[in-house]
Amino acid sequence: MIDRQFGRVVICCDSCDETFEGERGEEFDSVWPAAKRAGWRTRKIADEWLHGCPFHGVPK
Ligand SMILES: [Zn+2]
């Protein structure tokens, strides 16, 4: 899931507490490619995007 804390985009793993934080003021569109390079994956289930950290991979 995607969260926003203090002006930062925070990508949270839906399987554990792992997070990936963007820089302050950085938009999701530029945070996500960086997260993907770090091994994060996403999957759309129904209307919801699930996110998986590098340890969990694509959310089930
Ligand atoms: Zn995880």
Side-chain angles (χ1 to χ4, degrees), residues 13 15-16 18 53 55-56:
C13 179
S15 304
C16 72
E18 200 72 29
C53 72
F55 307 105
H56 288 104

Side-chain angles (χ1 to χ4, degrees), residues 9-46:
V9 171
V10 181
I11 301 166
C12 307
C13 179
D14 285 291
S15 304
C16 72
D17 291 334
E18 200 72 29
T19 59
F20 185 96
E21 292 186 16
E23 296 299 323
R24 193 180 296 263
E26 196 180 6
E27 288 304 320
F28 177 75
D29 285 355
S30 72
V31 177
W32 178 245
K36 227 158 88 173
R37 278 195 300 275
W40 284 72
R41 296 292 178 261
T42 187
R43 190 161 116 123
K44 196 177 186 189
I45 295 179

